[in-house]
Amino acid sequence: MTRWLNYYLNCSKSALYSLQINRYFVYLWILNHHRYTFIKGDICDRELIKGIEFDAILNFAAESHVDRSILDAQPFLQTNIIGTYNLLEVARQKQCVFLHVSTDEVYGSTEEDFFNENSPLMPNSPYAASKASSDLMVRSYIETHRLKAMITRCSNNYGPYQFPEKLIPLVILNALNKKPIPVYGDGMNVRDWIYVIDHCRAVDAVFHKGAPGEVYNIGARNEMPNIEIIKLILRKVAEILNLDEAGMMDLITFVEDRKGHDRRYAIDPAKIEQQPGWKPEMDFEEGITQTIEWYIANKQWWERIISGEYVQYYNNQYGKRLEN
Ligand code: DAU
């Protein structure tokens, strides 16, 4: 979300509002105004949102981490479902464009096929179920209220500023701190990884050139099992910092699997590639190298994060798993 803001302010003359709930954002887009205003608020606070003038809503706001939704689903229902409903209500009243940023996880897991925009919604985690619910709310406002809304469903993002609860930053930071790297199950679960700026470009393309009422899948045709990514990161960290590669590989620790762990996500991005016309640009190995270099250069940013509430979360999530 922060990446989208930076991307957008660099390449457009439009202005933005953002609203924050804890660490999540929604952007309210406004033409011909000063460029960016930050409002500290909650997307569940409808009166606050109603009082702001804007031309469009891009809803990036979400509780997004599967493991946290397994520990406690309530915040996911509140932000992802009730929050989206509030934004939809305001969008309906103002008759403004609404872009809902969703996820490929709403389709569930697939062993062989690719998800297209008509694949059934089969969410498996409380997080995915909350996002699928919000997608269905958006659909209902399109059908019932003729809201000019679009939905994007993207695969796994990586890049700078990603919160270290997600796999790639977690592996980088644990490697830098020489801590065990928890690999769920057999490490052969597959995700389709996309560089965050490619995702930003896709959202921008849909926002400006997408058709109201449509869903767009966003993926980079870059499927990879977790263990391969982990080994690639460890090799790169060793190379960049001139460390012993075998010592890095020793950090890999197989732990008890995530409950209901989806085996494979695989996006068919043919629709967005054709219309509005978008393709990812970042090569995966190059993107991973740049991301590692960013985390090495921005210790201050992540040190603050991994010393706060994160410590408690980390111990809850990994303490027992890593002992066994
Ligand atoms: O597919 C898009 C989704 O990608 C987004 O909608 C979610 O918000 C985002 O969190 C992400 O979901 P995943 O569950 O796929 O991402 P995560 O980084 O949590 O995990 C990626 C894979 O790595 C998954 O198979 C679980 C595994 N994993 C993850 C962590 C945090 C491990 O093996 N060990 C770990 O410690």
Side-chain angles (χ1 to χ4, degrees), residues 64 103-105 127 156 166-167 182 184 191 258 261 318:
S64 72
T103 167
D104 62 358
E105 293 203 19
Y127 157 66
N156 285 60
K166 311 282 188 204
L167 179 72
Y184 297 160
R191 299 292 185 264
R258 173 185 278 174
H261 195 175
Y318 297 106

Side-chain angles (χ1 to χ4, degrees), residues 8 15 45 64 75 108 133 142 178 194 203 216 255 257 259 283 285 289 310:
Y8 204 78
D45 184 348
S64 72
S133 306
I142 293 167
K178 311 239 171 20
I194 184 171
V203 168
Y216 295 92
V255 298
D257 209 351
K259 288 181 189 163
D283 166 77
E285 210 168 312
T289 307
Y310 185 78

Side-chain angles (χ1 to χ4, degrees), residues 64-67 103-105 127 154-157 165-168 170 182-184 189 191 193 226 230 258 261-262 265 318:
S64 72
H65 194 47
V66 174
D67 291 322
T103 167
D104 62 358
E105 293 203 19
Y127 157 66
C154 191
S155 60
N156 285 60
N157 281 223
E165 64 198 359
K166 311 282 188 204
L167 179 72
I168 288 182
L170 186 137
V183 185
Y184 297 160
N189 299 66
R191 299 292 185 264
W193 294 91
N226 296 335
I230 292 166
R258 173 185 278 174
H261 195 175
D262 285 333
Y265 300 146
Y318 297 106

